[in-house]
Amino acid sequence: MKNEIEKLKTLFERDIKKVKTMNELNDLRINYLGKKSKIQEFSTMMRDLSVEEKKECGRLMNEFKTYVEVEITNLRKELEAKELEEKLSNEKIDVTLPSTKINVGSVHPITKMINEVEDIFISMGYDVVEGPEVERDLYNFEMLNLPKGHPARDTQDSFYITEDTLLRTQTSPVQVRTMLANIEKTPIRIICPGKTYRKDNDDATHSHEFHQIEGLVVDENISMADLKGTLEVFAKKIFGEKREIRFRPSHFPFTEPSIEVDVSCFNCNGKGCNICKGTGWIEILGAGMVHPNVLNMCGYDSNKFTGFAFGIGPERMAMLKYGINDIRNFYINDKRFLEEFDKVEKVSYESK
Ligand code: PHE
């Protein structure tokens, strides 16, 4: 039996040299140590041996088993290391290869413009307030001093949903909502950006869907001079420090007096060019002193409080600021336009 074990050892030494993979190593282990292995057969055969022989053979068998186990463990470690090395060398990353292009979105030019206007007014202590796009006729018109049948309603041809609800034609109803919601009737200083809708035929300067940024200040002793100072700061921040503004009389039912505001042309510095149509001035927004009727309807005593309001068109601002000549560009979502625009960081008018 001693000889048998020696033979088995020689066989094992020959077999283990042939092993190249983990699977083969597994088979080898089963062959030499498994339930049906030779060594197990020997254990059964040992029963017939004398005590002395049993001792001797048992020792030899245990030695053989330990030897096989150690050899297999060593080889396993070797094979594992080899496999890992192969895997690593196969998965080598070539850092010099060009990367995959990821399409990154950009902020829409109108959103950018609104953010810029918001920042200016926030720096002057204004709050930003929003209101619903589906609005009540009451807030969009009536409480803004535009009763049913008022001729000025025709200038804001509206998308009605029911007799009393419509897509708001202006952001001015947010003024009404804010004044009504202020139960203590404390002073107000807000801007309200948002989408507005009118039944306009779309062309280069008109869109049935557009934006407004409403401004409202209500307090005691607010005057036209406050309005002028505020809008001057605004115009200079947007169009450059050298800009001047001027007021022209106008009419809005919810302001009295009402004005239109022009800024001196940032392109020709007032000399006259095609952007300002030779006048040296560019119209930028409508404004005025809040009509006493509006204050009273919204619960502010017009004997005590005065206020000013203004309406900014971010599309018009962006078109002027970035030299865009068709308002439809903002809405057709042509990626090429939007991406192109994203590259144009603020045009500086200071150098002109
Ligand atoms: N809401 C007005 C419009 O759409 C603009 C405006 C707002 C004018 C506030 C004066 C004061 O025409």
Side-chain angles (χ1 to χ4, degrees):
M1 200 148 153
K2 264 195 218 165
N3 285 344
E4 294 290 328
I5 295 176
E6 277 305 316
K7 263 195 215 158
L8 199 59
K9 197 174 168 193
T10 325
L11 258 180
F12 175 76
E13 277 164 356
R14 195 197 63 196
D15 282 352
I16 198 167
K17 281 198 188 108
K18 294 185 202 150
V19 171
K20 296 269 172 325
T21 67
M22 284 296 233
N23 279 345
E24 286 170 10
L25 184 69
N26 227 10
D27 290 344
L28 183 79
R29 194 182 54 78
I30 293 167
N31 273 347
Y32 283 89
L33 298 174
K35 275 187 196 148
K36 287 179 185 158
S37 61
K38 270 262 156 28
I39 207 83
Q40 287 298 350
E41 260 176 49
F42 291 166
S43 305
T44 344
M45 280 157 56
M46 253 173 44
R47 269 184 242 140
D48 306 330
L49 297 177
S50 68
V51 182
E52 274 306 301
E53 278 174 325
K54 254 188 206 165
K55 249 190 182 171
E56 173 71 357
C57 281
R59 186 181 57 79
L60 285 174
M61 268 168 58
N62 282 340
E63 264 176 28
F64 175 75
K65 274 192 202 165
T66 321
Y67 167 74
V68 170
E69 270 161 14
V70 170
E71 286 294 299
I72 286 180
T73 313
N74 287 346
L75 187 58
R76 171 172 299 123
K77 279 185 195 152
E78 238 173 72
L79 287 177
E80 275 173 356
K82 222 168 104 190
E83 261 181 26
L84 183 69
E85 203 162 298
E86 262 170 34
K87 219 174 160 189
L88 286 177
S89 69
N90 285 343
E91 287 175 8
K92 232 180 215 161
I93 297 167
D94 183 353
V95 288
T96 62
L97 282 174
S99 62
T100 335
K101 193 169 176 273
I102 301 167
N103 282 325
V104 181
S106 56
V107 178
H108 192 278
I110 294 300
T111 310
K112 239 178 155 176
M113 196 68 232
I114 291 176
N115 289 344
E116 199 180 333
V117 175
E118 277 183 8
D119 284 349
I120 294 172
F121 283 98
I122 287 171
S123 77
M124 291 196 262
Y126 283 63
D127 287 330
V128 179
V129 179
E130 288 185 350
E133 287 170 34
V134 176
E135 186 53 283
R136 298 180 65 187
D137 181 282
L138 182 70
Y139 297 154
N140 191 80
F141 288 131
E142 278 185 48
M143 291 188 75
L144 286 163
N145 211 23
L146 272 141
K148 287 210 165 78
H150 192 289
R153 283 192 179 213
D154 297 346
T155 61
Q156 302 192 6
D157 208 355
S158 321
F159 291 108
Y160 273 92
I161 292 163
T162 66
E163 212 174 304
D164 185 48
T165 40
L166 72 163
L167 296 181
R168 66 177 175 194
T169 58
Q170 49 189 351
T171 42
S172 307
V174 190
Q175 286 188 29
V176 177
R177 286 177 172 274
T178 309
M179 284 192 270
L180 286 177
N182 189 331
I183 310 285
E184 281 102 39
K185 302 300 165 200
T186 50
I188 289 174
R189 202 162 12 163
I190 53 163
I191 53 160
C192 327
K195 262 189 205 159
T196 47
Y197 305 85
R198 288 182 199 180
K199 269 192 203 163
D200 271 332
N201 287 329
D202 294 355
D203 61 25
T205 52
H206 295 86
S207 169
H208 63 282
E209 177 189 357
F210 59 106
H211 293 75
Q212 283 192 346
I213 307 172
E214 194 81 7
L216 174 73
V217 171
V218 179
D219 205 343
E220 291 176 41
N221 302 318
I222 295 290
S223 75
M224 202 82 166
D226 297 313
L227 174 60
K228 189 157 191 189
T230 305
L231 293 180
E232 203 164 69
V233 170
F234 168 70
K236 283 179 192 290
K237 288 222 169 129
I238 293 273
F239 294 110
E241 269 311 307
K242 291 184 198 140
R243 300 286 81 78
E244 283 172 36
I245 58 165
R246 74 173 185 188
F247 283 4
R248 272 181 299 108
S250 184
H251 174 77
F252 300 105
F254 31 86
T255 45
E256 181 57 38
S258 301
I259 51 163
E260 249 148 45
V261 182
D262 297 342
V263 64
S264 57
C265 182
F266 47 77
N267 188 51
C268 63
N269 253 334
K271 286 185 209 84
C273 67
N274 61 341
I275 292 186
C276 58
K277 299 191 185 94
T279 63
W281 294 92
I282 298 170
E283 184 192 323
I284 53 164
L285 55 91
M289 300 306 292
V290 183
H291 197 294
N293 287 354
V294 176
L295 287 172
N296 291 334
M297 276 189 274
C298 296
Y300 277 81
D301 181 357
S302 64
N303 291 319
K304 190 174 161 204
F305 288 98
T306 48
F308 64 73
F310 53 86
I312 299 167
E315 278 86 352
R316 185 166 164 74
M317 289 283 155
M319 286 167 83
L320 287 171
K321 206 166 151 65
Y322 299 104
I324 297 160
N325 50 22
D326 195 323
I327 196 171
R328 287 169 292 198
N329 282 329
F330 294 126
Y331 294 103
I332 51 179
N333 281 334
D334 183 337
K335 249 180 97 221
R336 288 165 303 178
F337 166 78
L338 297 173
E339 278 169 359
E340 198 50 46
F341 182 88
D342 202 43
K343 287 181 209 142
V344 190
E345 266 314 317
K346 276 192 194 168
V347 179
S348 170
Y349 294 108
E350 292 308 318
S351 53
K352 294 200 170 154

mmCIF file of all heavy atoms in Angstrom, residues 156 169-172 175 198 210 212 214-215 252 254-255 258-259 286-288 309-312, ligand 1:
data_model
loop_
_atom_site.group_PDB
_atom_site.id
_atom_site.type_symbol
_atom_site.label_atom_id
_atom_site.label_comp_id
_atom_site.label_asym_id
_atom_site.label_seq_id
_atom_site.Cartn_x
_atom_site.Cartn_y
_atom_site.Cartn_z
ATOM 1 N N GLN A 156 -55.955 94.143 -26.139
ATOM 2 C CA GLN A 156 -55.365 92.910 -25.586
ATOM 3 C C GLN A 156 -56.295 91.748 -25.922
ATOM 4 O O GLN A 156 -56.939 91.174 -25.056
ATOM 5 C CB GLN A 156 -55.201 93.023 -24.072
ATOM 6 C CG GLN A 156 -54.332 94.196 -23.653
ATOM 7 C CD GLN A 156 -53.946 94.131 -22.183
ATOM 8 O OE1 GLN A 156 -54.220 93.170 -21.485
ATOM 9 N NE2 GLN A 156 -53.275 95.166 -21.719
ATOM 10 N N THR A 169 -53.397 88.186 -20.143
ATOM 11 C CA THR A 169 -52.838 88.948 -21.261
ATOM 12 C C THR A 169 -51.659 89.799 -20.803
ATOM 13 O O THR A 169 -50.986 90.423 -21.597
ATOM 14 C CB THR A 169 -53.907 89.894 -21.832
ATOM 15 O OG1 THR A 169 -54.345 90.752 -20.772
ATOM 16 C CG2 THR A 169 -55.090 89.119 -22.383
ATOM 17 N N GLN A 170 -51.456 89.843 -19.499
ATOM 18 C CA GLN A 170 -50.390 90.661 -18.925
ATOM 19 C C GLN A 170 -50.072 90.117 -17.524
ATOM 20 O O GLN A 170 -50.834 89.318 -16.980
ATOM 21 C CB GLN A 170 -50.833 92.123 -18.833
ATOM 22 C CG GLN A 170 -52.213 92.291 -18.200
ATOM 23 C CD GLN A 170 -52.756 93.710 -18.288
ATOM 24 O OE1 GLN A 170 -52.041 94.617 -18.671
ATOM 25 N NE2 GLN A 170 -54.003 93.904 -17.914
ATOM 26 N N THR A 171 -48.950 90.548 -16.964
ATOM 27 C CA THR A 171 -48.628 90.080 -15.599
ATOM 28 C C THR A 171 -49.225 91.019 -14.541
ATOM 29 O O THR A 171 -49.104 90.757 -13.341
ATOM 30 C CB THR A 171 -47.099 89.956 -15.404
ATOM 31 O OG1 THR A 171 -46.465 91.075 -15.994
ATOM 32 C CG2 THR A 171 -46.568 88.672 -16.006
ATOM 33 N N SER A 172 -49.895 92.084 -15.000
ATOM 34 C CA SER A 172 -50.477 93.046 -14.036
ATOM 35 C C SER A 172 -51.440 92.425 -13.009
ATOM 36 O O SER A 172 -51.523 92.928 -11.887
ATOM 37 C CB SER A 172 -51.158 94.186 -14.786
ATOM 38 O OG SER A 172 -50.262 94.756 -15.701
ATOM 39 N N GLN A 175 -50.160 92.066 -9.573
ATOM 40 C CA GLN A 175 -50.228 93.273 -8.710
ATOM 41 C C GLN A 175 -51.463 93.179 -7.827
ATOM 42 O O GLN A 175 -51.394 93.356 -6.616
ATOM 43 C CB GLN A 175 -50.462 94.532 -9.546
ATOM 44 C CG GLN A 175 -49.338 95.061 -10.352
ATOM 45 C CD GLN A 175 -49.748 96.437 -10.932
ATOM 46 O OE1 GLN A 175 -50.553 97.164 -10.342
ATOM 47 N NE2 GLN A 175 -49.178 96.771 -12.071
ATOM 48 N N ARG A 198 -51.690 86.570 -25.937
ATOM 49 C CA ARG A 198 -52.657 87.417 -26.660
ATOM 50 C C ARG A 198 -52.889 86.834 -28.044
ATOM 51 O O ARG A 198 -51.968 86.257 -28.627
ATOM 52 C CB ARG A 198 -52.129 88.856 -26.797
ATOM 53 C CG ARG A 198 -52.144 89.600 -25.488
ATOM 54 C CD ARG A 198 -51.684 91.027 -25.616
ATOM 55 N NE ARG A 198 -51.299 91.512 -24.295
ATOM 56 C CZ ARG A 198 -50.847 92.733 -24.044
ATOM 57 N NH1 ARG A 198 -50.740 93.608 -25.025
ATOM 58 N NH2 ARG A 198 -50.520 93.086 -22.818
ATOM 59 N N PHE A 210 -45.853 85.185 -24.981
ATOM 60 C CA PHE A 210 -44.658 85.988 -24.701
ATOM 61 C C PHE A 210 -44.509 86.146 -23.188
ATOM 62 O O PHE A 210 -45.208 85.474 -22.433
ATOM 63 C CB PHE A 210 -44.739 87.346 -25.429
ATOM 64 C CG PHE A 210 -45.940 88.185 -25.050
ATOM 65 C CD1 PHE A 210 -45.803 89.302 -24.234
ATOM 66 C CD2 PHE A 210 -47.210 87.850 -25.506
ATOM 67 C CE1 PHE A 210 -46.910 90.081 -23.878
ATOM 68 C CE2 PHE A 210 -48.329 88.625 -25.152
ATOM 69 C CZ PHE A 210 -48.167 89.731 -24.341
ATOM 70 N N GLN A 212 -43.780 88.835 -19.673
ATOM 71 C CA GLN A 212 -43.692 90.177 -19.104
ATOM 72 C C GLN A 212 -43.051 90.067 -17.723
ATOM 73 O O GLN A 212 -43.102 89.015 -17.092
ATOM 74 C CB GLN A 212 -45.090 90.799 -18.931
ATOM 75 C CG GLN A 212 -45.698 91.301 -20.233
ATOM 76 C CD GLN A 212 -46.936 92.171 -20.000
ATOM 77 O OE1 GLN A 212 -47.504 92.201 -18.910
ATOM 78 N NE2 GLN A 212 -47.345 92.859 -21.051
ATOM 79 N N GLU A 214 -43.546 92.290 -14.457
ATOM 80 C CA GLU A 214 -44.275 93.400 -13.858
ATOM 81 C C GLU A 214 -43.484 93.925 -12.668
ATOM 82 O O GLU A 214 -42.850 93.146 -11.947
ATOM 83 C CB GLU A 214 -45.608 92.839 -13.349
ATOM 84 C CG GLU A 214 -46.617 93.863 -12.996
ATOM 85 C CD GLU A 214 -47.341 94.372 -14.238
ATOM 86 O OE1 GLU A 214 -47.126 93.829 -15.335
ATOM 87 O OE2 GLU A 214 -48.119 95.325 -14.100
ATOM 88 N N GLY A 215 -43.533 95.225 -12.478
ATOM 89 C CA GLY A 215 -42.927 95.787 -11.270
ATOM 90 C C GLY A 215 -43.984 96.589 -10.536
ATOM 91 O O GLY A 215 -44.822 97.243 -11.165
ATOM 92 N N PHE A 252 -52.291 103.917 -20.057
ATOM 93 C CA PHE A 252 -52.691 102.575 -19.592
ATOM 94 C C PHE A 252 -53.829 102.805 -18.606
ATOM 95 O O PHE A 252 -53.749 103.741 -17.795
ATOM 96 C CB PHE A 252 -51.542 101.848 -18.884
ATOM 97 C CG PHE A 252 -50.328 101.629 -19.745
ATOM 98 C CD1 PHE A 252 -49.186 102.414 -19.565
ATOM 99 C CD2 PHE A 252 -50.316 100.652 -20.730
ATOM 100 C CE1 PHE A 252 -48.078 102.225 -20.355
ATOM 101 C CE2 PHE A 252 -49.191 100.456 -21.528
ATOM 102 C CZ PHE A 252 -48.074 101.247 -21.345
ATOM 103 N N PHE A 254 -54.622 101.357 -15.975
ATOM 104 C CA PHE A 254 -54.323 101.109 -14.555
ATOM 105 C C PHE A 254 -53.255 102.034 -13.986
ATOM 106 O O PHE A 254 -52.858 101.910 -12.840
ATOM 107 C CB PHE A 254 -53.918 99.644 -14.344
ATOM 108 C CG PHE A 254 -53.231 99.038 -15.534
ATOM 109 C CD1 PHE A 254 -51.863 99.185 -15.707
ATOM 110 C CD2 PHE A 254 -53.964 98.349 -16.489
ATOM 111 C CE1 PHE A 254 -51.239 98.646 -16.813
ATOM 112 C CE2 PHE A 254 -53.346 97.814 -17.609
ATOM 113 C CZ PHE A 254 -51.984 97.959 -17.773
ATOM 114 N N THR A 255 -52.746 102.965 -14.805
ATOM 115 C CA THR A 255 -51.785 103.944 -14.286
ATOM 116 C C THR A 255 -52.207 105.353 -14.703
ATOM 117 O O THR A 255 -52.765 105.560 -15.770
ATOM 118 C CB THR A 255 -50.353 103.663 -14.819
ATOM 119 O OG1 THR A 255 -50.424 103.403 -16.224
ATOM 120 C CG2 THR A 255 -49.707 102.506 -14.112
ATOM 121 N N SER A 258 -49.543 107.886 -17.188
ATOM 122 C CA SER A 258 -48.868 106.729 -17.791
ATOM 123 C C SER A 258 -47.747 107.227 -18.704
ATOM 124 O O SER A 258 -47.853 108.311 -19.280
ATOM 125 C CB SER A 258 -49.839 105.921 -18.639
ATOM 126 O OG SER A 258 -50.923 105.478 -17.855
ATOM 127 N N ILE A 259 -46.726 106.422 -18.802
ATOM 128 C CA ILE A 259 -45.590 106.837 -19.634
ATOM 129 C C ILE A 259 -45.032 105.658 -20.433
ATOM 130 O O ILE A 259 -45.248 104.497 -20.074
ATOM 131 C CB ILE A 259 -44.425 107.402 -18.766
ATOM 132 C CG1 ILE A 259 -44.088 106.402 -17.634
ATOM 133 C CG2 ILE A 259 -44.771 108.763 -18.209
ATOM 134 C CD1 ILE A 259 -42.751 106.661 -17.016
ATOM 135 N N GLY A 286 -43.317 100.148 -20.636
ATOM 136 C CA GLY A 286 -44.434 101.008 -20.254
ATOM 137 C C GLY A 286 -44.497 101.087 -18.736
ATOM 138 O O GLY A 286 -44.150 100.135 -18.042
ATOM 139 N N ALA A 287 -44.948 102.228 -18.222
ATOM 140 C CA ALA A 287 -44.981 102.379 -16.760
ATOM 141 C C ALA A 287 -45.966 103.488 -16.379
ATOM 142 O O ALA A 287 -46.624 104.076 -17.242
ATOM 143 C CB ALA A 287 -43.585 102.698 -16.238
ATOM 144 N N GLY A 288 -46.027 103.784 -15.107
ATOM 145 C CA GLY A 288 -46.876 104.885 -14.651
ATOM 146 C C GLY A 288 -47.110 104.830 -13.149
ATOM 147 O O GLY A 288 -46.616 103.928 -12.472
ATOM 148 N N ALA A 309 -45.863 101.484 -11.187
ATOM 149 C CA ALA A 309 -45.816 100.138 -11.773
ATOM 150 C C ALA A 309 -45.139 100.242 -13.123
ATOM 151 O O ALA A 309 -45.141 101.304 -13.755
ATOM 152 C CB ALA A 309 -47.230 99.585 -11.936
ATOM 153 N N PHE A 310 -44.533 99.148 -13.532
ATOM 154 C CA PHE A 310 -43.927 99.120 -14.869
ATOM 155 C C PHE A 310 -44.041 97.719 -15.440
ATOM 156 O O PHE A 310 -44.202 96.740 -14.696
ATOM 157 C CB PHE A 310 -42.458 99.586 -14.830
ATOM 158 C CG PHE A 310 -41.602 98.858 -13.828
ATOM 159 C CD1 PHE A 310 -40.982 97.665 -14.158
ATOM 160 C CD2 PHE A 310 -41.428 99.375 -12.543
ATOM 161 C CE1 PHE A 310 -40.197 97.001 -13.228
ATOM 162 C CE2 PHE A 310 -40.639 98.711 -11.607
ATOM 163 C CZ PHE A 310 -40.020 97.517 -11.954
ATOM 164 N N GLY A 311 -44.007 97.631 -16.766
ATOM 165 C CA GLY A 311 -44.104 96.317 -17.421
ATOM 166 C C GLY A 311 -42.961 96.165 -18.416
ATOM 167 O O GLY A 311 -42.861 96.917 -19.386
ATOM 168 N N ILE A 312 -42.088 95.206 -18.141
ATOM 169 C CA ILE A 312 -40.918 94.987 -19.002
ATOM 170 C C ILE A 312 -41.189 93.787 -19.907
ATOM 171 O O ILE A 312 -41.736 92.774 -19.464
ATOM 172 C CB ILE A 312 -39.668 94.683 -18.139
ATOM 173 C CG1 ILE A 312 -39.350 95.855 -17.200
ATOM 174 C CG2 ILE A 312 -38.460 94.343 -19.017
ATOM 175 C CD1 ILE A 312 -38.339 95.530 -16.116
HETATM 176 N N1 PHE B 1 -49.388 95.482 -18.528
HETATM 177 C C1 PHE B 1 -49.096 96.535 -19.461
HETATM 178 C C2 PHE B 1 -49.219 96.013 -20.880
HETATM 179 O O1 PHE B 1 -49.180 94.833 -21.056
HETATM 180 C C3 PHE B 1 -47.737 97.124 -19.234
HETATM 181 C C4 PHE B 1 -47.686 97.961 -18.002
HETATM 182 C C5 PHE B 1 -47.461 97.397 -16.768
HETATM 183 C C6 PHE B 1 -47.874 99.319 -18.097
HETATM 184 C C7 PHE B 1 -47.430 98.197 -15.633
HETATM 185 C C8 PHE B 1 -47.854 100.118 -16.993
HETATM 186 C C9 PHE B 1 -47.635 99.534 -15.763
HETATM 187 O O2 PHE B 1 -49.380 96.745 -21.793
#
